Amino acid sequence: MTQDERWNIRYQEVMVFIKGYHRNPSRHRIEEHDMLNWVKANRKRMNASQLKEPRLGCLKNCCRYRNNIDARTSMNRIGEKSAVGWLFLVYLQWV
């Protein structure tokens, strides 16, 4: 098996994980350490401009997908906080 094949297999594993759990692998879970180390090592290579195409495009796609999930979940949290704040204000008016 070539390095490219191994890299693609690991990339697919990470993408399946991120799409399934809507988060990056955690450092607090032992079973996720291999994926976390792979993500960190490739991000480091990407930031140092050592990652070549097509790996660079794949990793950027992975990061872009993860950022979209972060944006959606943070907007949901903001909406929840706003709704809770609004309900609290309504409650205060009745008390």
Side-chain angles (χ1 to χ4, degrees):
M1 184 180 304
T2 66
Q3 287 183 351
D4 285 333
E5 290 171 341
R6 281 185 282 172
W7 194 93
N8 286 328
I9 289 170
R10 187 64 79 169
Y11 169 75
Q12 292 299 325
E13 289 174 3
V14 169
M15 284 302 292
V16 166
F17 180 87
I18 291 173
K19 288 179 180 180
Y21 291 100
H22 302 289
R23 63 179 177 83
N24 279 330
S26 173
R27 66 182 175 152
H28 301 291
R29 297 183 185 220
I30 304 278
E31 62 273 9
E32 298 172 13
H33 278 198
D34 288 340
M35 284 188 287
L36 175 67
N37 289 337
W38 184 89
V39 169
K40 288 185 344 184
N42 280 287
R43 279 188 188 153
K44 189 182 237 183
R45 287 186 196 116
M46 182 177 70
N47 292 334
S49 299
Q50 295 175 349
L51 205 58
K52 305 286 187 244
E53 284 293 337
R55 292 181 183 185
L56 180 62
C58 291
L59 198 63
K60 283 184 178 180
N61 181 39
C62 180
C63 293
R64 196 175 309 119
Y65 183 82
R66 179 68 190 122
N67 290 338
N68 287 340
I69 290 172
D70 283 342
R72 279 184 271 154
T73 54
S74 64
M75 288 303 291
N76 287 342
R77 289 185 196 128
I78 290 170
E80 290 169 6
K81 289 177 185 175
S82 299
V84 170
W86 181 79
L87 287 173
F88 183 69
L89 290 175
V90 169
Y91 171 76
L92 288 178
Q93 291 175 353
W94 287 99
V95 174

